[in-house]
Structure formats: structure tokens, C-alpha cells
Amino acid sequence: MSKLIFPAAPAPTLPIAGSDDRIPVQRVFCVGRNYEDHAKEMGQQVERDEPFYFTKSNESVVQDGAVVPYPQGTENFHYEFELCVVIGSPAHNVSVADALSKVFGYACSLDMTRRDLQLKKRAKQLPWDIGKDVEHSAPIGIVVPAAKFGAPGKQKIEMRQNGVTKQSSDLSCLMWSIPELISHLSTLYHLRPGDVILSGTPAGVGPCVAGDVLEGTIEGAGSLKVTIGKPV
Ligand code: MN
């Protein structure tokens, strides 16, 4: 009988509010340009033809309280604070009306980005992967079950860098709502429990350096705090 010649990396897991159980994270989908004010600050046209996505390896997921090492290859490492949607049941070709029934819960998350590399690749119409799928670049906090969070509506989303507010908006400013995103993504993928969607960031993104403390909150979804560390 054949065997694995080295152990497979275990899926990262997330804590669940009010439970000792944890969620294994499968695929990490991210939504690009989903707040109008952020699209503008990135120098992009605001279009609502259809949402677009990129992905991160689930190995990029780290826990609340983590030290995120400043990655190699960049001189412009940016924070983007976002609502993370955790899928809880299979979703394929779901309607907008049914989409929220597929959600397990919601969490605070960061989409840490090597902005210089992302923009360089974008300008050449090349893939963004090395700008976005960065090791340690997807901190995700405690998952609040959907029944407790309620439906995404006008909940405030805010992020502070060393105590200074840098991003402040609310979920009603999403250009593509959470049900619209799930429905659309489910026409492209067979979404499964443990898949997560980082739903886009409001304006106010910016660079960070080793020693910075990033702390964000989303009303009803708790908080997330990381420290940027030295390169490893
Ligand atoms: Mn993002």
C-alpha cells in the first residue's frame, strides 16, 4: 500500500464565538475593489458590471493576536481590513435570496498586500499572486455565528493603526452585497463548508512597518489585532 512521503500540511482553523469547536479553513477567496471610495483611491474606475476575485492559499491564514512578519520583496506592505464570510454549507448556483442561508458566520479579517508588487503586475496585466498570496497575509479573527451576527447591513467597520483610525465605513457601502457575492461566486465554484470570502476593503488603506499594531472591529463580529514583525 502506498503512503504519503511527507505529512500533508493541516488546514488552519478558526475559533468560534461561544464554542470550543473550530472551523478548518479551506479556500480563501478575496473580492477586489468592493467599496467605491477604495476603488477611487486606487485610481480605478468604479464599475458595477461584475465582481472580481483573487485567491490566497489557506496557508496564509493566521490567528488573532499573531505577529505578521514584514514580508520579503516589498517596500510597501499594506493593510486592508475586511469582513470575512465563512461558508457553512455547500453552495452552487444559489440565488441571492438563498445565499445567506449558506453562511456559517462572520469574522474580522485583514488582506495584507505587497502593494508595490500588486501594482507593478497590474500595470503589466499580469497576475497579482505575488502581491496578494503572501505568507501570513490573511489574519482572521473569531467567527461569530450568523444567527448571532444577523444579516450584513449597516454594521460599522473600522481599523486603527497604532491607535489612529485609518479605515471607517459600514457594510452598507459594499458595492456588491454579501448575498450578491455568494450567489455570483457560486456560479463559478462549488462553494463548500470552510471556504471563506474576504469581501473587500473600504478606503484608507496604507503602508505599515515592523512594530505597528493593527486593530480592527466590525460591529457584531468582534475584533482582530495583529502586530507587524521583522522579516523572517
Ligand atoms: Mn482586499
Side-chain angles (χ1 to χ4, degrees), residues 30-31 54 80 82 111 132 200-201:
C30 304
V31 183
F54 54 91
E80 298 187 359
E82 315 196 354
D111 165 17
K132 286 293 195 178
T201 195

Side-chain angles (χ1 to χ4, degrees), residues 99-150:
L100 290 185
S101 70
K102 310 300 181 186
V103 174
F104 177 83
Y106 301 90
C108 296
S109 59
L110 280 159
D111 165 17
M112 300 300 297
T113 302
R114 288 194 273 230
R115 186 74 72 205
D116 40 3
L117 299 192
Q118 181 205 6
L119 297 184
K120 207 186 284 181
K121 297 300 171 187
R122 190 181 83 184
K124 292 184 179 174
Q125 298 190 319
L126 291 169
W128 293 4
D129 299 48
I130 61 169
K132 286 293 195 178
D133 188 8
V134 178
E135 291 172 351
H136 311 281
S137 69
I140 304 177
I142 193 166
V143 179
V144 176
K148 196 169 170 212
F149 181 83

Side-chain angles (χ1 to χ4, degrees), residues 79-188:
Y79 55 79
E80 298 187 359
F81 188 63
E82 315 196 354
L83 176 72
C84 172
V85 180
V86 180
I87 299 296
S89 51
H92 183 56
N93 289 331
V94 293
S95 66
V96 172
D98 287 341
L100 290 185
S101 70
K102 310 300 181 186
V103 174
F104 177 83
Y106 301 90
C108 296
S109 59
L110 280 159
D111 165 17
M112 300 300 297
T113 302
R114 288 194 273 230
R115 186 74 72 205
D116 40 3
L117 299 192
Q118 181 205 6
L119 297 184
K120 207 186 284 181
K121 297 300 171 187
R122 190 181 83 184
K124 292 184 179 174
Q125 298 190 319
L126 291 169
W128 293 4
D129 299 48
I130 61 169
K132 286 293 195 178
D133 188 8
V134 178
E135 291 172 351
H136 311 281
S137 69
I140 304 177
I142 193 166
V143 179
V144 176
K148 196 169 170 212
F149 181 83
K154 287 191 167 222
Q155 292 91 341
K156 287 198 184 340
I157 174 168
E158 186 175 292
M159 202 223 64
R160 296 170 297 283
Q161 180 180 30
N162 304 322
V164 179
T165 300
K166 297 289 187 172
Q167 298 191 274
S168 181
S169 186
D170 75 68
L171 300 182
S172 69
C173 297
L174 285 164
M175 290 165 57
W176 295 96
S177 70
I178 303 303
E180 287 172 330
L181 290 172
I182 295 168
S183 176
H184 183 258
L185 198 55
S186 81
T187 66
L188 301 167

